[in-house]
Each structure stands twice: as C-alpha cells, then as structure tokens.
Amino acid sequence: MSDSVHNPVWTSCKDAAGIAGNIFAFGLFVSPIPTYRRIIRNRSTEQFSGLPYIYALMNCLICMWYGTPIISADNLLVVTVNSFGTVFQLAYIILFIIYAERTKKVSMLASLLVVLGLFAIIVAGSLQIHDRMIRWISVGSLTVVSLISMFASPLFIIVKFGDPNKEC
C-alpha cells in the first residue's frame, strides 16, 4: 500500500492535497444551503430532486469507511471530511423528506433505507476479507464507483430538464 511510504516530501504533498481536498469538499457540502433556504421558505421541494443527496450520502459513507484504519492507514483527513459530508447530506435528506409531497417522501425514505442497508452490507462484507491489501483494494474500488456516481448524479437533472421538447 502507498501508506507505507515515509518520504517527507510525499507526506507533505499528501497532507497538502488532503487539506486542499477538505476545503473544496466542504465548499461542495455547503453549496446546497441556498436551495434549502428556498425549500424551507416555500415549504416545498418544488421540482428539486433528492437523488443527488442520496448519492452524496452513499459516497460520504463509503469514503469515510475507506479512510478508517480498518481499511487504510493514515487517512484522517478522508475520515473527517466525509464525516462532515455525511452529517450535511443527512440534514439535507431529512429536510427534503420533511418538505416533500407524500410520494417524494416515501421515495426518499426508501432510498435512504437502501443506502443505509447497502452501507451495512459493505461494512460487514469488507470485514469478512481478512487480507488487508484485498480489503483496501475492494473498498477503494467501491469508493471510485461511488465518487463517479455522486459526480454523475447531477446529470439526471440535465437529462430531465435539458430537452425543451420533453415533458418533465
């Protein structure tokens, strides 16, 4: 694992990248606040989709798990930023459920339960892998898939609203 590299230059670069990543990630986590002010003010989710927050929650949970010492060593910054991200995403999802119409509430609650169930399966399954390197690679691969899913999720909005001839 690359965690075994103890070169001071490598460590400094890794820490600098981690701090910069935390700053940018925190900015991403707070970016929906204006949208949620509008949702709270109007007491409605209007045409907003809750799926990006579901994907982001799954991503934060998997990345947080990846950063723990059980999976990979010396990744405190990964754990901290994704812990904050998990809290933000849960808050957004709860607010979405509170202000959504009944069908969206049920759908979002079901999606939340699926995410929590999948995460429990990932944790339990990865703990069954006794070879640390295989566990690291397996959870790391899931992290990559999760990141791609999270960053691709806003494309659903483009697909839904991008064609003026399509019905919403």
Side-chain angles (χ1 to χ4, degrees), residues 53-102:
Y53 309 105
I54 291 292
Y55 289 123
L57 175 64
M58 188 70 194
N59 175 64
C60 288
L61 288 169
I62 293 172
C63 289
M64 182 177 61
W65 178 240
Y66 173 79
T68 62
I70 295 170
I71 305 300
S72 61
D74 196 27
N75 275 320
L76 179 64
L77 293 173
V78 173
V79 173
T80 55
V81 73
N82 286 291
S83 297
F84 283 115
T86 297
V87 170
F88 275 99
Q89 301 313 317
L90 280 171
Y92 296 144
I93 291 167
I94 290 167
L95 285 170
F96 195 94
I97 290 170
I98 289 170
Y99 291 107
E101 59 191 37
R102 181 156 173 77

Side-chain angles (χ1 to χ4, degrees), residues 17-18 21 24 42 45-46 50-51 65 67-68 80 93 99 104 107-108 122 125 135-136 143 150 156:
F24 290 121
N42 295 341
T45 58
E46 302 169 6
L51 283 180
W65 178 240
T68 62
T80 55
I93 291 167
Y99 291 107
K104 280 187 179 180
S107 175
M108 282 295 289
I122 290 167
R135 184 182 329 135
W136 180 65
T143 302
M150 182 185 80
F156 288 122

Side-chain angles (χ1 to χ4, degrees), residues 96-160:
F96 195 94
I97 290 170
I98 289 170
Y99 291 107
E101 59 191 37
R102 181 156 173 77
T103 56
K104 280 187 179 180
K105 280 183 192 210
V106 171
S107 175
M108 282 295 289
L109 192 53
S111 297
L112 177 59
L113 293 174
V114 166
V115 163
L116 295 175
L118 282 173
F119 180 63
I121 290 168
I122 290 167
V123 169
S126 62
L127 289 174
Q128 300 303 312
I129 302 171
H130 298 290
D131 184 312
R132 186 174 170 89
M133 180 65 79
I134 293 173
R135 184 182 329 135
W136 180 65
I137 292 170
S138 299
V139 176
S141 298
L142 287 173
T143 302
V144 170
V145 170
S146 175
L147 281 163
I148 292 169
S149 172
M150 182 185 80
F151 287 112
S153 66
L155 297 176
F156 288 122
I157 295 168
I158 293 171
V159 169
K160 184 174 182 180

Side-chain angles (χ1 to χ4, degrees), residues 18-46:
I19 291 167
N22 276 4
I23 292 167
F24 290 121
F26 189 77
L28 283 173
F29 295 147
V30 299
S31 65
I33 288 176
T35 300
Y36 275 86
R37 283 187 179 149
R38 177 177 164 178
I39 287 171
I40 292 167
R41 182 181 61 241
N42 295 341
R43 304 188 64 77
S44 169
T45 58
E46 302 169 6

